[in-house]
Amino acid sequence: MDFFDKHKATLDRAVAALHSRVFFANFPEHPAPAVYGETADADGQQKFKDMLGKKFESLQQPNPSGWVGQEESPYLQQPLGISYPTFTVPALIDEAQKAFHAWRKASIETRTGILLESLERVKTRFFEIAYATMHTTGQGYMMAFQASGPHAADRALEAIAAGYEELDRFPSSVLWDKPMGKFNVQLNKEWRAVPKGVSVVIGCSTFPTWNSVTGIYGSLVTGNAVIVKPHPGAILPIAIVVAEIQRVLQEQGYAPATCQLAVDTVDATITKELAEHPAVKLIDFTGNGIFGSYLESLPGKTVFTEKTGVNSVILDSVEDADKVAANLAFSLCLYSGQMCTAPQNFYIPAAGIKTPAGTLSVEDFGKKLAEQINGLVDNPKAGPFVLGAIQNKKTCERVADAAKIPGQVLLASRVFENPQFKQARVATPVLIAVDAAQKDIFGKELFGPIALLIKTKDTDASIALAQEMALHHGAISCGAYTTDPAVKEKIADAMSLAATPVSFNLTGGIYMNQHAAFSDFHVTGGNPAGNASFTNSEYVTRRFTWVGHREPVSK
Amino acid sequence: MDFFDKHKATLDRAVAALHSRVFFANFPEHPAPAVYGETADADGQQKFKDMLGKKFESLQQPNPSGWVGQEESPYLQQPLGISYPTFTVPALIDEAQKAFHAWRKASIETRTGILLESLERVKTRFFEIAYATMHTTGQGYMMAFQASGPHAADRALEAIAAGYEELDRFPSSVLWDKPMGKFNVQLNKEWRAVPKGVSVVIGCSTFPTWNSVTGIYGSLVTGNAVIVKPHPGAILPIAIVVAEIQRVLQEQGYAPATCQLAVDTVDATITKELAEHPAVKLIDFTGNGIFGSYLESLPGKTVFTEKTGVNSVILDSVEDADKVAANLAFSLCLYSGQMCTAPQNFYIPAAGIKTPAGTLSVEDFGKKLAEQINGLVDNPKAGPFVLGAIQNKKTCERVADAAKIPGQVLLASRVFENPQFKQARVATPVLIAVDAAQKDIFGKELFGPIALLIKTKDTDASIALAQEMALHHGAISCGAYTTDPAVKEKIADAMSLAATPVSFNLTGGIYMNQHAAFSDFHVTGGNPAGNASFTNSEYVTRRFTWVGHREPVSK
């Protein structure tokens, strides 16, 4: 049985789920011994430890120009000591171009089978990837496992499924038979889905696999050669993925260079040189808005971006203010606000949030939110693991600066002790009350655990501000709390026009930060937070071109 | 019966044809009395004549700032004298924004029904549109009828069908039910297809309806408000279409301003002001490469372009050189080479084209081509009607300049007498033999009846040049003649990589210039000739954004 047949049932379920958008997951998200094996966790941790301080030799990319590595663990605040092979941009492009032609000529089924098999191989390394993710991004263990392992693999499967479906959209050949009155014109026509060429996927430091695998698999399934350029601070998780893809390619007789890893350093980055190379036709990017907009402006490239945004929470009326505060406190604490879907701006009417027990002012609600945050942080069995560590020192500086914002500090950021990692770089959320007039403060992304409670004239003003932020600065998520159906529709409509998905009235174990594969589009592509969406049809169709040839039927 | 029900069967056939890509046409292309009515032609001509020298009063756009009109008939070389209402850009945007909200909230079925009905109304005006097209573009009667009438209406139907299908791609609501072990997380989710806003469709002077209706109908079906900015030299054909759309909108209770006509003059063009307006989110453009690239570079806009290209014919080996020359002669003469799909560069190996009777050199084949062109031009029942007239004086200047190209003039351009219009601005094709080294000559679009026969080293060199031209300068069509299956595949593959469709071995009554709706993608979007394709899924999906909202199921 070949790989396509082996995985066909999974593929069919994935394609169906893409349309139905009901719950579907192919990779179990719980790191349970019953699912992954009794020793899977310990084995993965040991394998991770065995990689520390060594050369990463698993890639099939010969003749490196050097070896580099700058990763540091936010938990240990010391280097991982792993080094990766480096290559010049011309060498990377040359290898990609050589690998491209065999790969583009492989059948859709062959490519799809190889890629699905690679995900199964990656699955056997979820625990290694989890520890690699923890010690590069600072994510807590559970998030590191889920986001970099099963959730990323499901997003990759989603991209494969979307690509597979779109590649099959038009017939490979057809007889076109046009009645002309006295005779018919008959043409044999054929259509080819032609990949664009070399694809560069630029990773970020906080979600090194989750944000990259969609572009990698989306480009590969449609027949492009891929160069993966990870963030210098978070290489190992995606290096393991690339190594597994290369292994299956090699086994099946395709060049490992069909998917290359291109490592660089912060002080000698190759990203611009790669992106601007004329042979590079596709670019996927996750990261800051300025660089993303620069990439989008490059002529002759098809560019997919996820940039920055300002995520809002509109608070109008609630059934249970404590449950709401608990839910939002968790959203703020989860990975210390370092998620692109984390809330930042909380809009509260001057007259207060309506509750069954009366109204809650900004200060009242801030107090509840602060209590919930403190409760979570100070719970030693939960807090440190939910908060994780801070990936980048600059985020700590931003949190420190936030204390100087002209407003009322409702909760100061502080440190806490991680029971496993005493040296961890940590920061809890800072809560600051400001006024709706202070757009210079809240009208930009403040990446990290920083929350602003903004007093507005009324809920209409809150909606207008949330919409304005999304339209002008981008937004990837939005939370809203209202018990009034008319207000709910007003919010739903206003945020739709700003291309921002709204999570209404979340309480309990589901958070506005979470976007589920096969159901929630991640980023809509319709506001400045990014021009691409995981995974709509454009996300894959823009990676290839339909070209039709025709010839008269021989008489 | 509402309009959606009335036209549902047609819509279903159109959606099916988009996938099957077999021959399908909803609007009969032959201007036959049996189809369109015994007096349809005479009536249409009379109605056209009745519009000359008057204000065009059919638009439902009150309070114009003025009346202008600069159209001139290339057949009569005198002004049509028709004037159209003008509006300031802020006024146009304001009206579009006011109309937008009701239109975006109309159901998919309502929008689709109104648009399909408008095409039926346009059908009753095909003959008026034909005469309007003749006397603005210079097209011959048959092309003017077909291209601006039934072929354009079929392309519009194609865009409606594609939009209708994509708007229905994801469910409007669904229960998302995720097992979490001890409990399930249940969310009600909904998805909205949110139109981007104001859409501007910029027309060209040669195909005023065919090249504009796809953008107009593609934007309208997906819920956007449209502003149609015709070329100042070819307004009337599309003005009639807009008037019919407005009439149906009005009848159904929607603002006519949902689809406005924005007329300007060459010396006071409003195109840039319109395109750069922040409210304009979508731009469709047909025209020159420099302006198209400028539009593509505008940040924050979704831009669909058809620009210029250099179309090649690769001549390797033929069964019947005379039939080939006849076919290509017709392609060159059709509308005097003023089609974006017309051939320009003919690559012939130094050793000659292989034929059953020996090889044909550049000069030999040039002679055959010249004979066929002369035979067609000098056939008074065919030539003048196939060639039509020259839309723009500058094209005549370009043809005159071509005679100075350093090469061998194999056939000089000349004038001929149109039996109906003695004053017609005409020019027959000029044929010039050049060498493959003269890329400065043939490496650019020479719009109009100008053909270059280029002597190459061999067919591999011909293929390389055709590919290079397409990759660097764009190409919308390609012709190729070979009796060798291996050479055929080499051409098919090389031109695929340059995103250019190839017509192989055409002889008889089918030409490389022709792209049929529902089967041939017009422009692939994959080379510099344009970034959009009539009509792939992106052509409509990029006109709206999928936004999903969610809320926990009430317990």
Side-chain angles (χ1 to χ4, degrees):
Chain A
M1 188 158 74
D2 72 9
F3 289 145
F4 183 75
D5 292 337
K6 180 180 170 190
H7 300 296
K8 183 65 166 52
T10 300
L11 179 65
D12 289 343
R13 282 196 300 271
V15 170
L18 265 178
H19 285 269
S20 72
R21 308 205 83 75
V22 297
F23 172 75
F24 174 72
N26 187 57
F27 297 93
E29 72 175 357
H30 198 63
V35 174
Y36 288 99
E38 289 301 322
T39 62
D41 188 357
D43 293 349
Q45 188 167 18
Q46 189 56 49
K47 283 180 186 159
F48 166 71
K49 285 183 177 165
D50 291 344
M51 287 189 274
L52 298 175
K54 301 197 182 114
K55 283 184 174 177
F56 186 84
E57 307 254 28
S58 310
L59 298 170
Q60 299 183 53
Q61 296 179 224
N63 309 318
S65 59
W67 291 80
V68 299
Q70 295 181 323
E71 291 163 300
E72 286 185 13
S73 168
Y75 285 106
L76 305 169
Q77 297 215 53
Q78 62 185 44
L80 301 190
I82 305 173
S83 61
Y84 303 85
T86 57
F87 304 88
T88 65
V89 167
L92 290 162
I93 299 287
D94 189 47
E95 290 296 322
Q97 287 185 311
K98 280 192 281 186
F100 171 57
H101 295 285
W103 184 243
R104 73 178 173 88
K105 288 178 181 171
S107 73
I108 299 168
E109 290 74 20
T110 297
R111 292 200 301 254
T112 303
I114 286 172
L115 297 174
L116 291 171
E117 176 65 16
S118 75
L119 287 182
E120 287 299 317
R121 309 283 181 93
V122 168
K123 184 182 175 185
T124 68
R125 306 191 69 180
F126 277 175
F127 288 89
E128 283 165 81
I129 292 172
Y131 287 102
T133 298
M134 279 184 76
H135 288 285
T136 49
T137 68
Q139 289 176 21
Y141 169 78
M142 186 62 82
M143 181 186 279
F145 179 85
Q146 294 186 337
S148 273
H151 290 177
D154 271 325
R155 282 287 179 191
L157 173 59
E158 189 183 65
I160 295 169
Y164 173 76
E165 187 185 19
E166 290 298 334
L167 290 165
D168 196 40
R169 191 179 180 98
F170 300 115
S172 55
S173 67
V174 85
L175 170 66
W176 186 81
D177 192 359
K178 179 182 179 181
M180 299 289 287
K182 290 177 189 152
F183 64 100
N184 278 21
V185 171
Q186 294 188 314
L187 298 175
N188 286 315
K189 297 193 178 187
E190 58 143 325
W191 288 272
R192 301 181 184 200
V194 184
K196 295 212 169 165
V198 179
S199 168
V200 167
V201 179
I202 304 164
C204 65
S205 62
T206 46
F207 289 90
T209 76
W210 197 92
N211 270 103
S212 288
V213 290
T214 52
I216 295 170
Y217 281 88
S219 278
L220 285 173
V221 73
T222 50
N224 302 282
V226 174
I227 297 171
V228 181
K229 216 305 285 175
H231 190 282
I235 300 166
L236 185 56
I238 198 69
I240 294 171
V241 174
V242 171
E244 290 300 333
I245 294 172
Q246 290 184 346
R247 209 159 285 163
V248 187
L249 284 166
Q250 171 98 333
E251 285 174 21
Q252 297 297 305
Y254 292 93
T258 304
C259 182
Q260 299 176 86
L261 191 73
V263 171
D264 62 0
T265 57
V266 170
D267 44 313
T269 178
I270 60 171
T271 313
K272 278 193 172 188
E273 188 184 350
L274 261 180
E276 292 177 8
H277 194 289
V280 171
K281 300 299 180 190
L282 295 167
I283 300 172
D284 287 84
F285 171 76
T286 312
N288 76 69
I290 292 166
F291 199 77
S293 297
Y294 146 76
L295 290 171
E296 287 174 7
S297 77
L298 292 176
K301 318 270 180 185
T302 302
V303 182
F304 302 86
T305 59
E306 176 183 331
K307 302 183 289 185
T308 50
V310 177
N311 300 328
S312 295
V313 179
I314 299 164
L315 290 147
D316 172 69
S317 47
V318 301
E319 285 288 351
D320 185 325
D322 293 308
K323 284 188 180 171
V324 171
N327 185 279
L328 292 172
F330 191 92
S331 277
L332 281 170
C333 289
L334 190 58
Y335 188 27
S336 306
Q338 297 168 98
M339 297 179 76
C340 58
T341 48
Q344 173 185 303
N345 289 353
F346 296 73
Y347 304 102
I348 298 172
I353 304 163
K354 294 185 273 293
T355 85
T359 59
L360 288 172
S361 69
V362 165
E363 293 74 17
D364 297 335
F365 188 73
K367 197 175 163 192
K368 281 189 185 291
L369 200 52
E371 281 166 11
Q372 294 286 348
I373 290 169
N374 284 331
L376 182 58
V377 172
D378 295 334
N379 176 348
K381 293 193 174 163
F385 310 106
V386 169
L387 285 146
I390 302 291
Q391 204 278 333
N392 192 317
K393 285 188 190 78
K394 285 183 187 159
T395 302
C396 293
E397 293 165 15
R398 201 176 299 112
V399 172
D401 287 346
K404 299 171 205 155
I405 285 174
Q408 182 187 356
V409 176
L410 301 177
L411 178 68
S413 179
R414 58 186 167 101
V415 295
F416 59 91
E417 189 171 289
N418 184 305
Q420 291 177 289
F421 306 105
K422 309 288 180 195
Q423 305 303 320
R425 185 192 298 131
V426 297
T428 68
V430 53
L431 292 187
I432 302 164
V434 300
D435 187 78
Q438 292 172 277
K439 270 189 210 169
D440 56 322
I441 304 295
F442 64 81
K444 60 188 174 213
E445 190 189 52
L446 299 164
F447 188 77
I450 300 167
L452 303 172
L453 275 64
I454 299 156
K455 188 182 289 184
T456 66
K457 182 162 158 275
D458 52 24
T459 292
D460 280 353
S462 298
I463 298 170
L465 277 171
Q467 189 191 46
E468 180 188 333
M469 290 298 123
L471 286 171
H472 294 164
H473 306 291
I476 297 177
S477 65
C478 176
Y481 291 86
T482 179
T483 56
D484 181 336
V487 173
K488 187 187 163 195
E489 177 52 29
K490 196 182 272 188
I491 294 169
D493 191 55
M495 296 311 292
S496 290
L497 289 171
T500 307
V502 183
S503 298
F504 285 99
N505 301 319
L506 294 188
T507 56
I510 180 88
Y511 307 99
M512 63 179 278
N513 319 43
Q514 299 169 321
H515 282 167
F518 299 101
S519 186
D520 299 318
F521 293 106
H522 179 70
V523 187
T524 62
N527 68 47
N531 70 6
S533 184
F534 298 175
T535 300
N536 62 14
S537 60
E538 285 167 50
Y539 191 77
V540 287
T541 58
R542 300 186 72 201
R543 297 173 197 271
F544 65 93
T545 306
W546 283 108
V547 181
H549 300 320
R550 55 190 186 174
E551 181 174 26
V553 172
S554 319
K555 293 290 159 76
Chain B
M1 189 160 73
D2 72 10
F3 289 145
F4 183 76
D5 293 336
K6 179 180 171 190
H7 300 297
K8 182 66 167 54
T10 301
L11 179 66
D12 289 344
R13 282 196 300 271
V15 170
L18 264 179
H19 284 268
S20 72
R21 309 206 81 76
V22 296
F23 172 76
F24 174 72
N26 186 57
F27 297 92
E29 71 175 359
H30 198 64
V35 175
Y36 288 99
E38 289 302 322
T39 62
D41 188 357
D43 292 349
Q45 188 167 19
Q46 190 56 50
K47 283 180 186 160
F48 165 71
K49 285 182 177 166
D50 291 344
M51 288 189 273
L52 298 174
K54 299 196 184 117
K55 283 184 174 178
F56 186 84
E57 308 253 29
S58 309
L59 298 170
Q60 299 183 54
Q61 297 179 224
N63 308 319
S65 58
W67 290 80
V68 299
Q70 295 180 322
E71 291 163 299
E72 287 185 12
S73 168
Y75 285 106
L76 305 169
Q77 297 214 52
Q78 62 184 45
L80 301 191
I82 305 173
S83 61
Y84 303 86
T86 58
F87 304 89
T88 65
V89 168
L92 289 162
I93 299 287
D94 188 48
E95 290 296 324
Q97 287 185 312
K98 279 192 280 185
F100 172 57
H101 295 285
W103 185 243
R104 74 178 173 89
K105 288 178 181 172
S107 73
I108 299 168
E109 290 73 20
T110 297
R111 292 200 300 253
T112 303
I114 287 173
L115 297 174
L116 292 172
E117 176 65 16
S118 76
L119 288 182
E120 287 299 318
R121 308 282 182 93
V122 168
K123 183 180 174 185
T124 68
R125 306 192 67 180
F126 278 174
F127 288 88
E128 281 165 83
I129 292 172
Y131 288 101
T133 299
M134 280 184 75
H135 288 285
T136 49
T137 68
Q139 290 176 21
Y141 170 76
M142 186 62 80
M143 180 186 280
F145 179 84
Q146 293 186 337
S148 274
H151 290 177
D154 272 325
R155 283 287 178 191
L157 173 59
E158 190 182 63
I160 295 170
Y164 173 76
E165 188 185 19
E166 290 298 334
L167 290 166
D168 197 38
R169 191 180 181 97
F170 300 115
S172 55
S173 67
V174 85
L175 170 65
W176 186 80
D177 192 358
K178 178 181 179 182
M180 300 289 288
K182 291 177 189 155
F183 63 100
N184 279 21
V185 171
Q186 293 187 315
L187 298 175
N188 286 316
K189 298 194 177 186
E190 59 143 322
W191 289 272
R192 301 182 184 201
V194 184
K196 294 212 169 163
V198 178
S199 169
V200 168
V201 179
I202 304 164
C204 66
S205 62
T206 47
F207 288 90
T209 76
W210 197 92
N211 270 103
S212 289
V213 289
T214 53
I216 295 170
Y217 281 88
S219 278
L220 285 173
V221 73
T222 50
N224 302 282
V226 174
I227 297 171
V228 181
K229 215 306 286 176
H231 190 282
I235 301 166
L236 184 57
I238 198 70
I240 294 171
V241 174
V242 171
E244 290 300 335
I245 294 172
Q246 290 185 345
R247 208 159 286 161
V248 188
L249 284 167
Q250 171 97 333
E251 285 174 21
Q252 297 297 306
Y254 291 92
T258 304
C259 182
Q260 297 175 86
L261 190 73
V263 171
D264 63 1
T265 57
V266 171
D267 43 313
T269 179
I270 60 171
T271 313
K272 279 193 172 189
E273 187 184 349
L274 261 179
E276 291 178 8
H277 195 288
V280 172
K281 301 299 181 191
L282 295 166
I283 300 171
D284 287 85
F285 171 76
T286 312
N288 77 69
I290 292 166
F291 199 77
S293 297
Y294 145 77
L295 290 171
E296 287 174 6
S297 77
L298 292 176
K301 318 271 180 185
T302 301
V303 183
F304 302 84
T305 60
E306 176 183 331
K307 303 184 289 186
T308 51
V310 176
N311 300 327
S312 295
V313 179
I314 299 165
L315 290 146
D316 171 70
S317 47
V318 301
E319 285 288 350
D320 184 326
D322 293 308
K323 283 188 181 172
V324 171
N327 185 278
L328 292 172
F330 192 92
S331 277
L332 282 170
C333 290
L334 190 58
Y335 188 27
S336 305
Q338 297 169 99
M339 297 180 77
C340 57
T341 48
Q344 173 184 304
N345 290 354
F346 296 71
Y347 304 102
I348 297 172
I353 303 165
K354 294 184 273 293
T355 84
T359 59
L360 287 171
S361 68
V362 166
E363 292 74 18
D364 297 335
F365 188 74
K367 198 175 163 194
K368 282 189 184 291
L369 200 52
E371 281 166 11
Q372 293 288 348
I373 291 169
N374 283 331
L376 181 58
V377 172
D378 294 334
N379 177 347
K381 291 190 176 166
F385 311 106
V386 170
L387 285 146
I390 302 291
Q391 203 278 332
N392 193 318
K393 287 188 190 79
K394 284 183 187 159
T395 302
C396 293
E397 292 165 16
R398 200 177 299 112
V399 172
D401 287 346
K404 300 170 203 155
I405 285 174
Q408 183 187 356
V409 177
L410 301 176
L411 178 69
S413 179
R414 59 188 166 100
V415 295
F416 59 91
E417 188 171 291
N418 185 303
Q420 291 177 290
F421 307 105
K422 308 289 180 195
Q423 306 303 320
R425 185 193 296 133
V426 297
T428 68
V430 54
L431 292 187
I432 303 165
V434 299
D435 187 80
Q438 292 173 277
K439 270 189 211 168
D440 57 321
I441 303 295
F442 65 80
K444 60 189 173 210
E445 189 189 54
L446 299 164
F447 188 78
I450 300 166
L452 303 172
L453 275 65
I454 300 156
K455 188 182 290 185
T456 65
K457 182 163 158 274
D458 51 24
T459 293
D460 280 353
S462 298
I463 298 170
L465 276 172
Q467 190 192 46
E468 180 188 334
M469 290 299 123
L471 286 172
H472 294 164
H473 307 291
I476 297 177
S477 65
C478 176
Y481 291 85
T482 180
T483 56
D484 182 335
V487 174
K488 187 187 163 194
E489 176 53 30
K490 195 182 273 188
I491 295 169
D493 191 55
M495 296 312 291
S496 290
L497 289 171
T500 307
V502 184
S503 298
F504 284 100
N505 301 320
L506 293 188
T507 57
I510 180 86
Y511 308 98
M512 63 178 279
N513 319 42
Q514 299 170 322
H515 281 169
F518 299 100
S519 186
D520 300 317
F521 293 106
H522 179 69
V523 188
T524 63
N527 68 46
N531 70 6
S533 184
F534 298 176
T535 301
N536 62 13
S537 60
E538 286 166 51
Y539 192 76
V540 286
T541 58
R542 300 186 71 201
R543 296 173 197 271
F544 64 94
T545 306
W546 282 108
V547 181
H549 300 319
R550 56 190 186 174
E551 180 173 27
V553 172
S554 319
K555 294 289 157 79

